[in-house]
Amino acid sequence: MSEVKFGALCWNQYTDWPSLLQAGIRADKLGYDSLWTWDHLYPIVGDPNGPNYEGWLTLAAWAARTEHVRIGLMVGANTFRNPALVTKMATTLDHISGGRAILGIGGAWFEEEHEAFGLDFGSGFPERLRWLGEALPIMRGMLDGSEPTAAGPHYASKATRNLPVPIQPHLPICIGGGGEQVTLKLVARYADMNNVGGGLETVRRKEAILLQHCETVGRDPAEIERTTGIGTVFIRDDRAEAERLFREAFERNRVTRLWEDQPVGTPEDVAERLAPFLELGYRHFIAGMPASYDEESMTRLVTEVKPLLEGR
């Protein structure tokens, strides 16, 4: 069986900077495989009228203070920035981190922050996915050094140089989202990693559709690393205590309706919940970490749950 990986998605909302910085440093020291935050300008869980740190600058700070963990946005909002600029930012992050950057990208969905910041939200999700489809060849071409030229309806580039080149010979693109007609087709065509969520049955359905798209475009699906968001993790030997911590974290984020079916409980409970994903080939689990980034849960996920899964 392939190695089981864990990623820490540290929420950049309803927190303070020292805590968010230390959460990333902790994930690196604990041996997490990947470290992520959101690309949002307002909080997206709970009340949007609250504090929220910008994603790319958070990644840059983490990159300078960590040594091993791979770093990216889960995932970048394509509507926020020109794709050539994003590629330059990802390349710079790769140099800051010594070759650990991931370019995470998706179509974007949160209309309120677009309106507040004056960002073009397009006519709807189909148009934003068309924009993403235009952006990806520019990104891949620049990362690979082909100096792409594009003249699409929304994005244009002209023999765009990307110097210095990334440290990684092939800096990976991670596409987030499970849209069955367009997003997963873009994954099949351009992605080195994907991220889908929604529970086991949803992931199972998306996986089958991704395989169909890979066959259609002639892509070996083994070239795409599968990742899945598993929700917020709280681990204690006492299940009631884990549940209490989960509720307190959501209260701090001003959430009125708790998320259901979360990996909350003992290490054995969490491992049992994640084990079925292994059969689908999803072995990179992205765990949500809301402030205050519970140290015991972060630790036990990689020191206890991971060995339980690898033992299977």
Side-chain angles (χ1 to χ4, degrees):
M1 179 181 291
S2 301
E3 177 189 8
V4 173
K5 297 181 179 181
F6 276 101
L9 172 56
C10 297
W11 294 11
N12 47 343
Q13 64 169 58
Y14 285 99
T15 186
D16 58 78
W17 174 246
S19 298
L20 182 56
L21 176 61
Q22 287 302 314
I25 294 171
R26 180 185 305 138
D28 184 56
K29 290 181 177 179
L30 287 172
Y32 276 80
D33 298 279
S34 59
L35 174 62
W36 315 83
T37 198
W38 287 320
D39 192 21
H40 286 286
L41 306 172
Y42 282 168
I44 60 169
V45 180
D47 185 355
N49 297 294
N52 193 92
Y53 289 101
E54 198 279 323
W56 274 105
L57 287 175
T58 299
L59 298 187
W62 279 342
R65 296 290 301 276
T66 56
E67 298 179 359
H68 308 291
V69 70
R70 308 203 70 187
I71 299 175
L73 292 173
M74 185 55 69
V75 286
N78 183 59
T79 51
F80 283 6
R81 308 166 190 89
N82 178 280
L85 175 61
V86 170
T87 309
K88 191 70 175 176
M89 293 166 70
T91 300
T92 301
L93 183 69
D94 205 44
H95 283 263
I96 296 171
S97 65
R100 294 181 283 123
I102 299 168
L103 198 168
I105 198 71
W109 59 270
F110 190 17
E111 185 172 7
E112 181 179 349
E113 63 188 355
H114 285 77
E115 291 181 351
F117 284 82
L119 299 167
D120 191 353
F121 195 58
S123 62
F125 204 53
E127 183 172 38
R128 292 195 299 280
L129 288 177
R130 288 195 295 272
W131 295 348
L132 180 61
E134 285 185 41
L136 285 163
I138 297 172
M139 292 173 168
R140 186 74 270 164
M142 287 181 62
L143 291 174
D144 294 345
S146 66
E147 299 188 6
T149 293
H154 197 67
Y155 298 122
S157 65
K158 184 177 180 180
T160 310
R161 296 185 299 277
N162 187 33
L163 298 173
V165 300
I167 291 178
Q168 298 177 74
H170 186 83
L171 194 157
I173 293 175
C174 177
I175 298 177
E180 299 176 2
Q181 299 301 316
V182 179
T183 304
L184 290 177
K185 186 180 293 183
L186 294 174
V187 169
R189 188 167 293 161
Y190 296 108
D192 304 288
M193 306 170 70
N194 77 325
N195 183 264
V196 294
L200 180 63
E201 292 310 312
T202 297
V203 172
R204 191 190 309 277
R205 186 178 72 252
K206 305 295 185 184
E207 172 67 11
I209 293 169
L210 175 59
L211 293 177
Q212 293 173 4
H213 285 310
C214 285
E215 183 176 0
T216 298
V217 303
R219 179 84 183 277
D220 181 358
E223 296 176 356
I224 305 168
E225 181 178 2
R226 315 298 206 277
T227 79
T228 185
I230 61 174
T232 53
V233 177
F234 289 89
I235 299 173
R236 291 294 189 274
D237 293 323
D238 183 340
R239 289 173 177 148
E241 175 67 5
E243 179 72 20
R244 182 186 69 79
L245 293 167
F246 163 63
R247 290 178 176 276
E248 286 183 354
F250 272 61
E251 288 172 1
R252 283 194 296 272
N253 284 269
R254 302 180 188 173
V255 177
T256 57
R257 184 176 180 181
L258 291 175
W259 291 358
E260 299 178 351
D261 300 323
Q262 297 297 289
V264 175
T266 67
E268 293 77 13
D269 292 336
V270 176
E272 189 69 25
R273 180 177 183 81
L274 300 183
F277 290 93
L278 301 177
E279 299 175 7
L280 297 178
Y282 284 74
R283 298 187 173 92
H284 192 160
F285 300 106
I286 312 299
M289 304 289 180
S292 57
Y293 316 109
D294 183 60
E295 183 171 2
E296 181 173 342
S297 298
M298 289 185 73
T299 302
R300 298 183 76 175
L301 185 61
V302 290
T303 61
E304 298 182 41
V305 175
K306 184 176 180 179
L308 288 172
L309 291 173
E310 291 177 335
R312 291 172 179 262

